[in-house]
Amino acid sequence: MASEKVTACCKALIEKNKTIAFAESASAGKMCYEFSTVINSGRILIGGIVCYHTSMKEDLLHIPWGTIEQYSAESAEVTKLMAQNFYRYINSDICVALTGLTTPGGSESESKPVGTIFIHLILGEKQIAKRYEFKGTPESIIDQAIDVIADLILKEI
């Protein structure tokens, strides 16, 4: 069941007749799923793509070769390109991309610990890039990120 924030966001999108799509890495499709559980979500949810592995980001979302090597798969730069490149191919009012570190074993460091999440939203001409550091289990980190995204969208539409 979707959180209160996701439900409120979906209702606002329905009221304003806005559509949404997701390019997900760390959340592995959970954002798209959460938005799909709200009544009448078919009126707003275009769909999403899960690009967890580097090869998917490069091959499917056309992240230029070397970009991930330079910045890491979990970075503001890659998240922005995921959003922009996916947005070009879909007919949606809003596009959300998310990358991050929910478990050890990625590009975590002292300055980018586990719990770091990068998001990039495209709302027509406007783009919003954010970086967050959440605490908790992998699932909790993703749930917190999804709620933050729902709040951001609510404030912007």
Side-chain angles (χ1 to χ4, degrees), residues 25-146:
S25 183
S27 51
K30 188 167 186 190
M31 267 195 304
C32 196
Y33 168 75
E34 289 290 322
F35 276 70
S36 78
T37 64
V38 176
I39 293 172
N40 290 321
S41 61
R43 291 176 46 197
I44 59 161
L45 181 60
I46 298 300
I49 187 169
V50 175
C51 292
Y52 201 81
H53 192 268
T54 298
S55 64
M56 289 285 286
K57 292 176 180 79
E58 291 174 342
D59 298 343
L60 211 52
L61 287 181
H62 307 290
I63 305 301
W65 187 86
T67 303
I68 292 172
E69 194 173 282
Q70 181 179 355
Y71 297 106
S72 88
E74 307 86 13
S75 64
E77 294 83 1
V78 169
T79 310
K80 177 180 181 178
L81 288 169
M82 285 172 58
Q84 290 173 339
N85 293 354
F86 191 50
Y87 188 66
R88 284 189 192 124
Y89 296 105
I90 56 162
N91 183 15
S92 183
D93 298 309
I94 300 166
C95 183
V96 181
L98 179 150
T99 67
L101 298 153
T102 60
T103 62
S107 64
E108 72 272 6
S109 65
E110 205 172 294
S111 62
K112 187 170 66 171
V114 169
T116 302
I117 296 289
F118 296 93
I119 61 168
H120 196 92
L121 277 71
I122 300 177
L123 306 102
E125 297 297 311
K126 187 169 190 174
Q127 296 192 35
I128 301 168
K130 298 277 186 182
R131 173 195 165 130
Y132 297 95
E133 286 183 22
F134 299 111
K135 303 274 188 234
T137 64
E139 186 174 10
S140 169
I141 290 166
I142 294 304
D143 289 344
Q144 292 172 72
I146 292 170

